[in-house]
Amino acid sequence: MPNMMAQRSHVGLSPFLLAMVAILWAYDGWADLAFVGGEVRDPQKTLPRALMIGTATWVVLYLGANLIYLHLIPVQASSTPSW
């Protein structure tokens, strides 16, 4: 079995910056919530509800995607190395 840590690949600046854009968009949504909080009617009720519904939506989407992956690529097929 070859040493996996010995295999290295050069990662350029462009893929790194592309990943950083996605990360900054994810954090920007949470930061913008503070700005929007003052403009919302009944923020004590609306903002927690929006946070719960948004988080629950992402959890369902994430778990659904993983179930699809497990259906398409069973664990038995993915546990055997192809080398």
Side-chain angles (χ1 to χ4, degrees), residues 7-19:
Q7 298 176 2
R8 295 186 180 161
S9 175
H10 176 69
V11 177
L13 187 61
S14 181
F16 176 75
L17 292 176
L18 184 62

Side-chain angles (χ1 to χ4, degrees), residues 37-73:
E39 304 293 327
V40 176
R41 288 187 192 142
D42 195 15
Q44 293 83 6
K45 184 172 128 183
T46 306
L47 292 179
R49 184 185 306 169
L51 287 171
M52 293 295 180
I53 291 172
T55 303
T57 302
W58 281 112
V59 167
V60 168
L61 288 173
Y62 178 79
L63 292 176
N66 281 305
L67 288 173
I68 292 170
Y69 299 150
L70 286 174
H71 178 72
L72 296 176
I73 306 170

Side-chain angles (χ1 to χ4, degrees), residues 18-38:
L18 184 62
M20 290 302 294
V21 167
I23 291 168
L24 291 174
W25 277 347
Y27 283 114
D28 192 41
W30 290 100
D32 288 344
L33 184 65
F35 300 126
V36 175

